[in-house]
Amino acid sequence: MNNGTIRSTMLPYGQQWIEDDDIEAVVAALKSPMLTTGPKINEFEQAVASFVGAEYAVAFSNGTAALHGACYAAGITAGDEVITSAITFAASANCARYVGANVVFADIDGRTYNIDPSDVARKITARTKAIIPVDFTGQPCHIDEIVKLARQHQLVVIQDGAHSLGAKYKGEFVGTQADMTMFSFHPVKPVTTAEGGVIVTNDERYYERLKLFRTHGITTTPFAKEQGAWYYEMIDLGYNYRMTDLQAALGVSQLKKLTPFIKRRRELAALYTELLRDVPGVTAPFQSEESESGWHLYSIQIDAATVCKSRKQIFEEMRAANIGVHVHYIPVYWFPYYEQLGYNKGLCPVAEQWYDQALTLPLYPRMQEDDVREVVYRLRQALMDGSQLDKRHSEVHHT
Ligand SMILES: *Cc1c(COP(=O)(O)O)cnc(C)c1O
């Protein structure tokens, strides 16, 4: 299947799959009277809620705005502490900063790479208000243990399910285990609205607060009768975080494909795992028996000592072969913004060691099996050169 020539275009690490029916759905919304906050928003919210089995869903302009809304709905304020994973996209932590809270980073579990409940337990203080666990790569976090801890300490759990729409935990879809769960609809995520986010919840109070926050803190319903139909009040400081009907129309169309997309991701991931089984120095992602991952990312570990080559070298060789490998994620507290707030290296040792060896391989539903074979072929090549190097090279490595 591969004659050694370099492919002509970069194989991305992730990519949307838009078909004619998706395009037609957006065009129909464009021709309708309502371009924003029209009937498609309700339809999309109901479709997401019913897919995961939740009572309520609130759509936002993006997943980060949705997390901000969830922090507001949970009543998190200045001085509170919020615990999240060291290995995640910055937004899982930033949302707590938006409402003035301090972020506490918990280390990851060395097998699943998800937030380690025992480290969460160690980091709970009298000021802790919420936990934001992340379903890293689409593999659900240890949510039962997190929720148990939260109940013991009266904390709110906001699950960052940006990667895990359609994934299952103990046989049930992610979305009803936490107090609120966020799904992102960015183009690389399981299904897309271009930009978009949704919070699902079973709690009516959170639902009401989420809707308030999404539209400037403005409410109309309680006053209409007394004051007149034009009347509204702004009862708190909210934002304009609304999703458009164009996006919601795309979302409704895309959601119909979530199940086949996830099925395809699982097939491709299984092929990777099979092909990587006998590659020395490579650890394929561990899959917990209690969950079924949605396989948003395929993240491997490369043992630099075994392969005698740095992750950076392997990354660059893969990129030179037009394989769009990536690294998800840099420990969030390493970023200058968080560093300036006083977080130091060494805070989460498991996460840091994991990060040094992490590499994301391309994975998305539209990929072909031959693409997977090509990625593994290129990876083997990149690793092989290394093992042929003089043994002495291995001594200058681990930094
Ligand atoms: C994508 C992502 C978000 C934010 O979603 P946007 O829709 O891009 O704002 C939050 N958390 C994680 C883990 C993500 O991957």
Side-chain angles (χ1 to χ4, degrees):
M1 62 84 221
N2 193 299
N3 59 11
T5 56
I6 290 176
R7 53 183 297 123
S8 58
T9 55
M10 182 74 79
L11 189 69
Y13 83 86
Q15 196 176 55
Q16 71 277 10
W17 190 347
I18 301 292
E19 296 173 295
D20 286 347
D21 56 339
D22 299 308
I23 293 165
E24 281 157 23
V26 177
V27 171
L30 254 178
K31 291 178 178 169
S32 77
M34 302 283 282
L35 295 187
T36 193
T37 328
K40 284 293 165 186
I41 292 291
N42 286 334
E43 199 183 327
F44 179 55
E45 288 174 341
Q46 276 172 23
V48 175
S50 77
F51 189 98
V52 303
E55 202 72 33
Y56 308 102
V58 181
F60 283 82
S61 47
N62 57 68
T64 306
L67 283 174
H68 186 186
C71 287
Y72 166 82
I76 302 167
T77 54
D80 289 340
E81 289 175 3
V82 172
I83 303 174
T84 193
S85 177
I87 298 297
T88 182
F89 182 59
S92 322
N94 294 351
C95 60
R97 299 295 301 151
Y98 297 156
V99 295
N102 296 317
V103 183
V104 174
F105 291 98
D107 212 336
I108 59 168
D109 173 318
R111 284 202 310 172
T112 64
Y113 318 147
N114 272 318
I115 195 168
D116 177 357
S118 63
D119 202 43
V120 173
R122 275 191 289 276
K123 287 175 172 165
I124 291 172
T125 73
R127 295 190 153 192
T128 309
K129 181 82 187 192
I131 308 169
I132 305 184
V134 182
D135 300 327
F136 177 68
T137 71
Q139 171 158 245
C141 64
H142 311 269
I143 192 68
D144 275 3
E145 288 164 68
I146 301 282
V147 167
K148 197 171 152 210
L149 277 171
R151 296 297 166 258
Q152 282 164 4
H153 299 269
Q154 275 102 53
L155 312 176
V156 181
V157 180
I158 301 167
Q159 192 166 0
D160 181 337
H163 301 181
S164 62
L165 179 62
K168 285 185 173 177
Y169 179 77
K170 295 188 177 170
E172 291 186 354
F173 284 114
V174 168
T176 51
Q177 295 83 4
D179 297 301
M180 289 177 265
T181 303
M182 184 279 281
F183 298 118
S184 168
F185 296 85
H186 177 278
V188 296
K189 305 294 163 74
V191 289
T192 189
T193 59
E195 292 280 0
V198 166
I199 300 288
V200 291
T201 183
N202 284 339
D203 189 318
E204 194 182 353
R205 286 163 311 162
Y206 291 142
Y207 173 62
E208 294 298 339
R209 280 175 68 81
L210 288 162
K211 283 197 302 180
L212 191 69
F213 191 73
R214 177 177 69 180
T215 309
H216 310 279
I218 285 173
T219 179
T220 51
T221 34
F223 313 105
K225 257 207 182 126
E226 291 166 38
Q227 306 277 348
W230 70 87
Y231 193 78
Y232 61 82
E233 279 188 358
M234 195 196 110
I235 59 170
D236 204 350
L237 185 63
Y239 290 74
N240 178 355
Y241 275 167
R242 294 186 298 259
M243 176 185 270
T244 66
D245 259 39
L246 312 184
Q247 293 167 299
L250 178 56
V252 170
S253 178
Q254 283 268 297
L255 263 182
K256 292 175 189 155
K257 303 163 186 191
L258 178 59
T259 303
F261 281 2
I262 299 264
K263 181 170 174 276
R264 183 66 182 151
R265 283 177 180 275
R266 287 182 177 145
E267 287 165 6
L268 295 171
L271 180 59
Y272 264 133
T273 302
E274 183 194 320
L275 296 174
L276 290 171
R277 190 168 295 144
D278 59 345
V279 180
V282 170
T283 306
F286 168 83
Q287 285 306 292
S288 155
E289 288 205 340
E290 63 190 14
S291 66
E292 294 164 67
S293 179
W295 291 103
H296 166 58
L297 297 173
Y298 195 90
S299 175
I300 61 169
Q301 288 277 287
I302 293 179
D303 179 15
T306 308
V307 303
C308 299
K309 215 182 226 185
S310 71
R311 188 256 314 262
K312 182 160 179 263
Q313 265 177 299
I314 293 161
F315 179 95
E316 283 168 358
E317 284 177 34
M318 297 289 281
R319 281 287 179 98
N322 268 342
I323 306 296
V325 288
H326 217 295
V327 175
H328 300 90
Y329 293 99
I330 301 161
V332 177
Y333 59 87
W334 281 12
F335 291 129
Y337 169 77
Y338 282 101
E339 207 179 18
Q340 283 156 29
L341 292 174
Y343 299 88
N344 295 314
K345 287 210 172 174
L347 186 63
C348 298
V350 183
E352 292 184 14
Q353 199 198 333
W354 172 88
Y355 165 69
D356 276 343
Q357 310 200 357
L359 190 70
T360 303
L361 303 182
L363 178 60
Y364 53 94
R366 213 176 175 179
M367 247 176 106
Q368 303 296 311
E369 289 179 13
D370 269 357
D371 296 329
V372 172
R373 292 181 201 282
E374 185 181 353
V375 173
V376 175
Y377 168 81
R378 288 293 176 197
L379 182 66
R380 274 183 182 279
Q381 268 197 329
L383 298 171
M384 203 166 25
D385 297 341
S387 62
Q388 288 163 351
L389 287 178
D390 190 316
K391 263 266 159 99
R392 281 170 297 171
H393 284 213
S394 64
E395 288 163 21
V396 292
H397 259 311
H398 259 118
T399 43

